[in-house]
Structures are given as C-alpha cells and as structure tokens.
C-alpha cells in the first residue's frame, strides 16, 4: 500500500496488488464511445453535442441492461459547453432515459476533462458517496470551437504575471516551444504522425475500433445538395490511408514561418462523445453486472504553460510512483497526441518503447474532441487489452495552460 501525507495507507502498491480483486474496487462495467468526426465537415457537423452525448449515455447503461434509476451521479467533461453551463449535459441525460433523480455536473480541465470526469466519479465511489456513476466526455468543435468562444479581454493585473500570460499562448505555439526547447525535429514529428495514421488505418480496416464505437443515427445536411437526410455515423472519418513522412514533409508550418508544427502532425479538430460506467465491485457483483476493467488511480501535475505539452512526461511517473509500479509493469500506454512534438518528447523522456504507445494510432489520426478524449482513451484501452490479452494500461494527456494528467487501469477481460 502507498501512504498518504498523514501516514495512512490509501492505495494498493505493486503489480500483484494492482491485479488483485477486492470488494471495494472501483470497476468499469462498460465503456463506449461515438465515432470521432471532422469538425465542420464530418458526420456530426449538423449534430449538437447534447444529442451525441445523449446517444452515448443511453448506450453505456443499456449495453449492460442497467436500470438507469440506479445511476446516482454523472460527471461530463466538456471544454466548450454551449451557453457556458451544465444545462446541455443535464438535457442529454434526461433525453437518454436517465431519471431526474440522477444528478449531473460538467467539468473542464481542458484536454483531460473526460478523464477528470471519470476520476471524479471513481473518487465518489471510493469514499462511499455513491455506488454507481458515469464519467463521460463530449465535444462539438463544430459548434463550440473558434474566435466566438473567446472573451473580449483579460485583466491587465493578472497578465502582468508572465506565466499567467503564457496561458494564452496558442496551443500551436506551445508545440513549437516544445520542439525548440527539447530538440524535437520536424523529421521526428512527421515520422511519428505518419505512424499514427498507419496504425489507425490498419486498426480501422481490421475492425479493431468496432467494439468501442456505438453507431448513432443523426441528421446530416449534404453540402452539395443542401438536402437533409438521416445517416448512421459509425466510423471515425478523419483516418487517412497512405500518409507517409515524405507526404507530411511537404506541408507548410501552421504557426511559425520556420516552425515544424502543421495540420498533418497535430491533433484533428473533431466532434464526439464517450462514457464510462463505474461501480463498486461488490455492487456490480450483487446486480449481476459485467466487469470489464478496474480504475486504479489518477494524478495531475502542473508544468510551465509555454510548454504545456510536456505534461505526460511528468504526470505518468507521478501516478506510477503512487502505486509502486514501473513503466515496465505497464503493458501499453494511451498518450494523447495533441501534437507530435509533445508526444515524441514525452515518449523519449520516459524511455518508452514506441511499440507500447498508441497501438491503434492516436489523436493525430483519429481526432481529439477536447472533452471526450480522456473518456475515449479508456474505451480504446479496454478494447486494445482484449485484443492483445494485456492487463495494465496507462492513459495520459497534456493540458492547455500547463498541466498533465495520467491514470492507471486494469483490464479484466
């Protein structure tokens, strides 16, 4: 067991302890996601985020035939919420058939919002506040992303602090800072991005995303005819086959004239939602619910805002140290590819074998709906664990304004 500041034992420690099963474990009953589609151009371009979220919330509890009245609380990661509040998430839950007695909240920790939501529900189960809950994430970058979402000004007093001002740097500039400060070359970034596309295309063609994706029927306006029709969105539409480092090398930098970050080695602007149904193990057993995995723990860290992308390189060692694991004990890693620069830096800094990271590709190839990603990685990780017969995996991401988050899970397939 690891020890807290006041000296009490709090978490299991060591690989054997992590794999052991106990009545009070926080377990994953189901984890599903929508497809991820291109912002303003893809399958969800005419679908509001609350509708995508509603479909996924309904899918996650109906998949295991759970009475929705038993869901006590829901937390939804959402970075760009319509109207700036939680009403959209509440509306989605009610539309999904979840009763009014089930409470809900939205959380925003930028790109880790989905994982933060799962962590919040897990903590409530650990402390005995609830027995069953959903951690989810949603984003429509079609409707929520862009200049219209920016405030008209910021406090001059606060901006007098340089690190506070650095929080306003465009994410692409922070990518350029990581590349410059840590010597990550354009060639390294393009090679990494090309591998992400290759892995994602291979996974899609082999049907390896099928188990985690819930097809959703939505209305879609044909941009050529302007006619509205119903379509089923059941596959990620940002994956491209045939991408090579050579083809990426021809793209112009997006943020600096002499920079190395461009549209092909940065995460895609996307729409989608994901949900993770969590319960206490004893409760899941009593209700006859399946157990597909276990939430072990999560950790957050702060890093300099100007190089926010290094977050995983700091967060992953912290979360592993909390439970007495080494990187070698982890079977594979899901590290969000906000930018190739920061993903390469994090992998190299941690000394991780590339073959253990993002086995089915990452955000560069499949997309990064901001609030969704943290929950999506869990669904993807559980699918990969079943497909490869692996057990322990880590999810992690950098966070805008200078943070990182990481979590440890066990598959119980």
């Amino acid at each position: 067991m690891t020890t807290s500041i006041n000296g009490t034992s709090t978490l299991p420690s060591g690989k054997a302890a992590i794999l052991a099963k106990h009545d009070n474990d926080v377990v994953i009953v189901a984890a599903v996601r929508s497809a991820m589609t291109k912002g303003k151009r893809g399958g969800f371009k005419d679908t509001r985020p609350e509708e995508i979220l509603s479909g996924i919330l309904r899918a996650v509890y109906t998949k295991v035939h759970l009475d929705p009245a038993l869901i006590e609380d829901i937390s939804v990661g959402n970075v760009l919420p319509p109207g700036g509040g939680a009403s959209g998430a509440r509306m989605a839950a009610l539309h999904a058939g979840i009763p009014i007695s089930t409470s809900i909240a939205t959380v925003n920790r930028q790109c880790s919002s989905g994982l933060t939501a799962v962590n919040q529900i897990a903590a409530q189960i650990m402390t005995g506040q609830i027995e069953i809950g959903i951690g989810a994430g949603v984003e429509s970058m079609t409707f929520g992303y862009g200049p219209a979402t920016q405030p008209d000004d910021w406090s001059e007093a606060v901006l007098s602090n340089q690190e506070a001002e650095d929080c306003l740097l465009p994410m692409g500039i922070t990518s350029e800072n990581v590349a410059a400060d840590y010597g990550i070359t354009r060639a390294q970034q393009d090679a990494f991005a090309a591998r992400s596309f290759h892995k994602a295309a291979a996974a899609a063609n082999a049907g390896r995303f099928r188990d985690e994706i819930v097809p959703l029927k939505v209305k879609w306006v044909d941009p050529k005819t302007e006619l509205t029709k119903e379509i089923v969105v059941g596959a990620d539409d940002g994956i491209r086959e045939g991408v090579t480092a050579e083809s990426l090398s021809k793209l112009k930098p997006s943020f600096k004239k002499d920079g190395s970050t461009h549209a092909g080695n940065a995460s895609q602007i996307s729409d989608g939602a994901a949900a993770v149904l969590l319960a206490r193990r004893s409760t899941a057993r009593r209700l006859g619910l399946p157990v597909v995995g276990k939430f072990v723990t999560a950790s957050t860290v702060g890093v300099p805002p100007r190089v926010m992308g290094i977050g995983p390189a700091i967060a992953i060692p912290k979360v592993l140290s909390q439970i007495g694991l080494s990187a070698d004990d982890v079977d594979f890693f899901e590290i969000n590819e906000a930018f190739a620069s920061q993903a390469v830096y994090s992998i190299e800094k941690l000394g991780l074998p590339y073959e253990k990271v993002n086995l089915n590709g990452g955000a560069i190839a499949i997309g990064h709906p901001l609030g969704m990603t943290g929950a999506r990685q869990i669904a993807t990780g559980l699918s990969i664990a079943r497909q490869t017969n692996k057990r322990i995996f880590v999810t992690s991401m950098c966070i805008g304004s200078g943070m990182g988050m990481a979590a440890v899970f066990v598959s119980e397939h």
Side-chain angles (χ1 to χ4, degrees):
M1 303 287 283
T2 55
T3 302
S4 66
I5 292 173
N6 64 12
T8 59
S9 295
T10 55
L11 293 170
S13 182
K15 188 172 183 178
I18 298 305
L19 294 172
K21 299 176 182 179
H22 303 283
D23 283 350
N24 281 331
D25 289 339
V26 176
V27 297
I28 299 170
V29 173
V32 298
R33 70 173 178 95
S34 72
M36 289 177 284
T37 68
K38 299 175 185 176
K40 301 188 185 300
R41 293 182 295 145
F44 289 136
K45 71 179 180 67
D46 301 302
T47 307
R48 298 286 174 173
E50 61 271 19
E51 185 174 343
I52 307 172
L53 178 61
S54 174
I56 295 306
L57 290 177
R58 184 182 294 274
V60 80
Y61 76 80
T62 57
K63 182 175 184 176
V64 296
H65 309 291
L66 176 69
D67 178 355
L70 297 176
I71 302 166
E72 296 170 89
D73 199 12
I74 302 170
S75 182
V76 180
N78 190 198
V79 179
L80 307 165
S87 293
R90 174 69 164 163
M91 293 159 63
L94 295 173
H95 182 257
I98 296 169
I100 58 172
S101 56
T102 300
S103 53
I104 194 165
T106 56
V107 295
N108 181 0
R109 201 198 298 265
Q110 305 283 69
C111 302
S112 74
S113 296
L115 180 55
T116 297
V118 171
N119 187 44
Q120 178 175 308
I121 294 297
Q124 289 176 257
I125 294 172
M126 286 179 179
T127 56
Q129 295 180 45
I130 64 173
E131 294 294 310
I132 299 174
I134 296 174
V138 64
E139 210 70 64
S140 172
M141 297 183 78
T142 291
F143 289 106
Y145 184 71
T149 64
Q150 300 301 311
D152 61 358
D153 207 352
W154 299 93
S155 162
E156 289 185 9
V158 171
L159 292 179
S160 66
N161 177 286
Q162 183 60 54
E163 289 183 331
E165 186 176 25
D166 287 347
C167 291
L168 300 180
L169 287 172
M171 292 297 96
I173 295 299
T174 71
S175 172
E176 295 290 1
N177 290 342
V178 170
D181 287 10
Y182 301 104
I184 309 299
T185 66
R186 166 79 183 252
Q188 285 177 288
Q189 294 172 61
D190 288 350
F192 179 84
R195 285 196 298 271
S196 183
F197 278 107
H198 175 77
K199 289 185 288 186
N205 290 335
R208 292 201 293 270
F209 292 125
R210 200 171 295 136
D211 288 347
E212 64 197 69
I213 294 177
V214 174
L216 296 177
K217 184 182 290 186
V218 299
K219 291 182 178 179
W220 184 79
V221 180
D222 188 319
K224 294 180 180 178
T225 65
E226 297 186 352
L227 294 176
T228 300
K229 58 183 177 180
E230 276 197 339
I231 64 170
V232 175
V233 180
D236 305 316
D237 64 20
I239 298 173
R240 301 198 303 273
E241 294 197 61
V243 176
T244 65
E246 182 182 9
S247 66
L248 292 175
S249 71
K250 298 173 183 178
L251 297 178
K252 293 181 179 179
S254 299
F255 300 96
K256 291 175 65 177
K257 188 175 181 180
D258 59 346
S260 56
T261 300
H262 55 77
N265 62 22
S267 56
Q268 299 181 33
I269 293 171
S270 313
D271 305 330
V276 182
L277 180 57
L278 301 137
R280 190 180 310 282
R281 186 185 296 277
S282 58
T283 300
R285 185 185 299 120
R286 175 171 55 82
L287 295 172
L289 298 171
V291 173
V292 298
K294 178 171 72 170
F295 171 94
V296 181
T297 192
S299 185
T300 57
V301 298
V303 300
R306 65 176 299 278
V307 287
M308 68 91 202
I310 69 173
I314 313 301
I316 291 174
K318 181 179 178 182
V319 79
L320 292 179
S321 69
Q322 288 177 339
I323 50 176
L325 291 185
S326 70
D328 291 338
D329 292 322
V330 179
D331 292 316
F332 63 91
F333 296 79
E334 275 288 313
I335 298 177
N336 190 43
E337 300 168 357
F339 300 96
S341 61
Q342 56 81 210
V344 169
Y345 169 78
S346 297
I347 294 165
E348 295 282 349
K349 178 68 174 178
L350 296 171
L352 303 179
Y354 277 91
E355 59 269 21
K356 286 178 67 172
V357 179
N358 299 353
L359 276 63
N360 287 347
I364 289 172
I366 60 178
H368 175 30
L370 304 176
M372 173 197 187
T373 290
R376 191 278 301 171
Q377 287 180 313
I378 301 167
T380 299
L382 289 169
S383 290
I384 290 172
R386 287 193 301 272
Q387 293 158 7
T388 60
N389 197 29
K390 301 297 184 183
R391 294 293 171 190
I392 300 174
F393 65 95
V394 166
T395 68
S396 185
M397 68 287 293
C398 59
I399 303 169
S401 74
M403 291 177 280
M405 189 170 187
V408 180
F409 300 89
V410 174
S411 174
E412 297 191 4
H413 59 277

